[in-house]
């Protein structure tokens, strides 16, 4: 059987690059994206080239980074924006194959085997160029016949480069590399390997499968398979990895809610953030769930099925509002509200039902809501607002999606 054609595309300094796209002045200074910048124990999540040159490392504390680079500019992470760009990149990859598997927020494997365009290097070069031109970001791409080598290849030359690992060159390219560069060789395994004198991937291979098995058990066999390029793990189809079971958001308001109008305003705002996240992850909900807590901290939850799977605020918000108002009594003081979309299904699995009369209207609403996602992604969550949110600004003056955003790891799996 012919070899597979597998690409691994890695977005370079992803968080930092997205920030530099937004604030071009950051290109000329050492900068880093850091969790909790006010706290000096916060962690560096990504850095630009100038910060890298100054010795700043990912995962070290702000305090350590500042010691090496006192002028370091810190930017807080904006996951909603990173997810937005991650999704754009994925969309582009999906033009070439339906087998696109995300690995974290900024990496994907593509399997081009049997696709109309299956010249790995040519497609890799084209992707590199297109991501730069169309998104303003750079990627490094590894090309090989298995996922492990493709991943290793994307690490070898970066930023903005393509590396092919072939049957002809892998002994020279892969085997001399440090064993830590092999995917899944974590710190514990690496320490164990170093202790028995293994420093390179080639030296790992030299130990042979049965010896590796005697030290590491089944993991040893996997290591041997990975190191030798024998791994046959498939690239999962786009949309198959579905770790998200539900998407929800809740808010404890600045003051208790007394009127139906106030409740409606907050419910719409929550529904907007929930449906925007649904669109980010390409899912539709079949059930909506609400939660309510009054000033005596009495908790209340209800759910209802939706007439058809949806990712539209236009449909989820009225359903959530109805559920809440059905159970709201005049005089009740509401302290906190939550909206959750459950029973999710990937939109790729929904059949197009455009023959239904309301389907045209739904498609138009989807385009409208996606446009709002895009505007908010670029200009901030408060750049486009619903009329109803102006009922009481103190209630709705939240960039709710950003302030409570779920960490993207939850969206894309390990
Ligand atoms: Mg990366």
């Amino acid at each position: 059987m012919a070899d597979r054609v597998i690409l691994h595309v890695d977005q370079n300094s992803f968080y930092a690059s997205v920030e530099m796209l937004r604030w071009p002045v950051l290109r000329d200074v050492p900068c880093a994206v850091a969790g909790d910048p006010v706290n000096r124990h916060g962690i560096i999540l990504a850095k630009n080239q100038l910060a890298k040159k100054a010795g700043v490392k990912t995962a070290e504390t702000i305090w350590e980074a500042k010691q090496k680079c006192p002028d370091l500019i810190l930017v807080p992470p904006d996951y909603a924006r990173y997810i937005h760009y991650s999704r754009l990149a994925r969309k582009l990859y999906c033009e070439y194959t339906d087998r696109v598997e995300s690995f974290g927020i900024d990496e994907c494997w593509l399997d081009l085997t049997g696709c109309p365009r299956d010249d790995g290097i040519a497609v890799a070069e084209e992707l590199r160029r297109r991501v730069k031109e169309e998104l303003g970001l750079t990627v490094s791409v590894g090309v090989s016949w298995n996922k492990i080598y493709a991943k290793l290849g994307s690490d070898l030359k970066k930023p903005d480069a393509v590396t092919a690992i072939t049957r002809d060159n892998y002994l020279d390219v892969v085997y001399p590399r440090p064993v830590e560069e092999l995917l899944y060789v974590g710190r514990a395994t690496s320490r164990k390997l170093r202790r028995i004198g293994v420093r390179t991937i080639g030296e790992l291979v030299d130990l042979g499968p049965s010896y590796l098995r005697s030290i590491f058990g089944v993991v040893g066999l996997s290591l041997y398979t990975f190191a030798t390029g024998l791994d046959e793990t498939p690239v999962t189809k786009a949309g198959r990895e579905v770790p998200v079971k539900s998407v929800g958001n809740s808010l404890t308001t600045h003051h208790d809610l007394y009127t139906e109008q106030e409740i409606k305003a907050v419910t719409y705002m929550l529904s907007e953030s929930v449906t925007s996240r649904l669109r980010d992850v390409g899912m539709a909900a079949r059930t909506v769930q609400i939660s309510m807590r009054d000033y005596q901290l009495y908790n209340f939850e209800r759910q209802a099925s939706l007439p058809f799977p949806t990712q539209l605020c236009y449909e989820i918000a009225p359903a959530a509002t109805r559920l809440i108002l059905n159970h709201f009594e005049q005089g009740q003081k509401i302290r906190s509200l939550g909206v959750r979309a459950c029973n999710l299904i990937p939109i790729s699995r929904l059949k197009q039902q455009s023959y239904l009369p309301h389907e045209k209207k739904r498609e138009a609403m989807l385009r409208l809501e996606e446009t709002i996602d895009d505007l908010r992604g670029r200009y901030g969550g408060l750049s486009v607002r619903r009329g109803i949110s102006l009922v009481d600004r103190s209630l709705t003056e939240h960039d709710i999606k950003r302030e409570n955003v779920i960490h993207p790891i939850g969206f894309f799996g390990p």
Side-chain angles (χ1 to χ4, degrees):
M1 214 170 78
D3 272 339
R4 293 183 294 166
V5 184
I6 295 179
L7 268 49
H8 182 264
V9 192
D10 184 0
Q11 300 198 276
N12 309 128
S13 318
F14 182 51
Y15 294 179
S17 302
V18 172
E19 296 301 337
M20 290 191 290
L21 206 55
R22 181 188 197 179
W23 312 109
V25 292
L26 293 177
R27 291 184 194 285
D28 306 320
V29 294
C31 85
V33 177
D36 199 2
V38 193
N39 176 347
R40 63 197 198 105
H41 297 297
I43 298 280
I44 303 290
L45 300 169
K47 74 269 173 198
N48 70 359
Q49 285 295 322
L50 286 172
K52 190 178 174 183
K53 247 184 227 156
V56 175
K57 292 202 169 68
T58 301
E60 70 186 354
T61 62
I62 291 173
W63 182 78
E64 289 170 302
K66 281 267 190 186
Q67 290 219 313
K68 287 181 269 185
C69 184
D71 302 330
L72 187 66
I73 303 289
L74 296 169
V75 187
D78 181 349
Y79 293 117
R81 183 179 293 263
Y82 308 149
I83 291 170
H84 172 72
Y85 278 99
S86 170
R87 198 173 58 161
L88 291 179
R90 239 187 107 99
K91 233 184 205 166
L92 202 150
Y93 308 153
C94 286
E95 290 178 26
Y96 297 84
T97 172
D98 61 344
R99 283 151 290 159
V100 176
E101 180 182 340
S102 294
F103 189 64
I105 192 172
D106 64 335
E107 298 178 25
C108 282
W109 277 290
L110 283 65
D111 187 346
L112 299 175
T113 318
C115 292
R117 307 253 331 258
D118 66 351
D119 177 352
I121 297 177
V123 171
E125 288 290 356
E126 184 171 309
L127 281 177
R128 185 182 63 78
R129 189 176 46 74
R130 286 190 63 193
V131 173
K132 196 152 72 168
E133 284 173 9
E134 295 171 31
L135 305 186
L137 298 166
T138 62
V139 294
S140 52
V141 192
V143 186
S144 194
W145 74 88
N146 65 82
K147 286 167 80 176
I148 306 291
Y149 282 5
K151 159 100 178 138
L152 194 132
S154 71
D155 275 335
L156 288 183
K157 253 184 283 159
K158 55 186 177 185
D160 200 20
V162 172
T163 305
I165 295 177
T166 65
R167 296 266 183 202
D168 294 328
N169 72 10
Y170 78 100
L171 292 177
D172 297 327
V173 177
V174 176
Y175 281 21
R177 304 300 307 175
V179 73
E180 289 78 15
E181 288 182 14
L182 200 60
L183 186 60
Y184 304 121
V185 173
R187 214 187 294 166
T189 310
S190 140
R191 221 178 293 136
K192 243 180 173 176
L193 284 167
R194 295 255 161 187
R195 219 178 297 138
I196 54 174
V198 172
R199 287 158 303 146
T200 66
I201 295 175
E203 288 167 355
L204 175 78
V205 174
D206 286 342
L207 295 181
S210 38
Y211 184 64
L212 280 166
R213 187 182 183 147
S214 72
I215 323 175
F216 293 101
V218 198
V219 176
L221 284 182
S222 303
L223 284 177
Y224 183 78
T225 312
F226 296 157
T228 45
L230 290 169
D231 178 55
E232 287 178 352
T233 314
V235 175
T236 318
K237 262 203 173 125
R240 275 288 164 80
E241 67 255 73
V242 180
V244 193
K245 290 229 171 64
S246 71
V247 174
N249 204 351
S250 62
L251 185 70
T252 302
T253 47
H254 291 209
H255 65 70
D256 291 341
L257 307 176
Y258 295 97
T259 69
E260 296 200 352
Q261 195 68 354
E262 288 172 334
I263 290 175
K264 198 172 167 190
V266 173
T267 308
Y268 264 80
M269 194 173 68
L270 289 167
S271 304
E272 277 194 324
S273 74
V274 166
T275 50
S276 174
R277 282 186 202 163
L278 282 177
R279 290 187 291 274
D280 280 341
V281 294
M283 305 290 272
R286 286 175 286 198
T287 306
V288 62
Q289 190 183 64
I290 59 95
S291 61
M292 220 178 354
R293 210 170 64 201
D294 68 11
Y295 74 109
Q296 289 168 313
L297 303 183
Y298 169 69
N299 258 320
F300 180 85
E301 262 184 33
R302 277 292 179 281
Q303 61 176 50
S305 8
L306 296 155
F308 17 72
T310 180
Q311 47 176 201
L312 291 173
C313 178
Y314 160 76
E315 290 168 342
I316 285 182
T321 309
R322 223 173 301 126
L323 269 180
I324 291 173
L325 292 183
N326 277 346
H327 300 280
F328 171 73
E329 285 164 30
Q330 273 317 325
Q332 212 178 351
K333 296 181 218 161
I334 303 300
R335 179 142 305 170
S336 138
L337 280 178
V339 174
R340 179 167 291 278
C342 325
N343 207 350
L344 305 185
I345 176 172
I347 45 162
S348 55
R349 258 194 261 158
L350 294 179
K351 284 193 204 78
Q352 275 290 310
Q353 299 176 307
S354 44
Y355 54 90
L356 294 174
H358 66 263
E359 202 56 31
K360 281 224 162 64
K361 166 92 176 164
R362 298 185 78 207
E363 271 167 32
M365 288 310 291
L366 179 61
R367 275 199 301 279
L368 173 65
E369 292 188 12
E370 279 177 340
T371 307
I372 295 173
D373 286 344
D374 190 44
L375 286 172
R376 286 181 171 158
R378 289 186 210 201
Y379 304 111
L382 295 177
S383 58
V384 183
R385 306 174 63 178
R386 268 176 203 273
I388 193 171
S389 74
L390 302 177
V391 171
D392 180 343
R393 283 172 189 267
S394 78
L395 286 177
T396 52
E397 206 101 305
H398 293 270
D399 188 345
I400 195 166
K401 191 176 176 204
R402 296 242 172 111
E403 284 173 9
N404 301 12
V405 82
I406 301 167
H407 195 279
I409 296 307
F411 289 148
F412 293 102

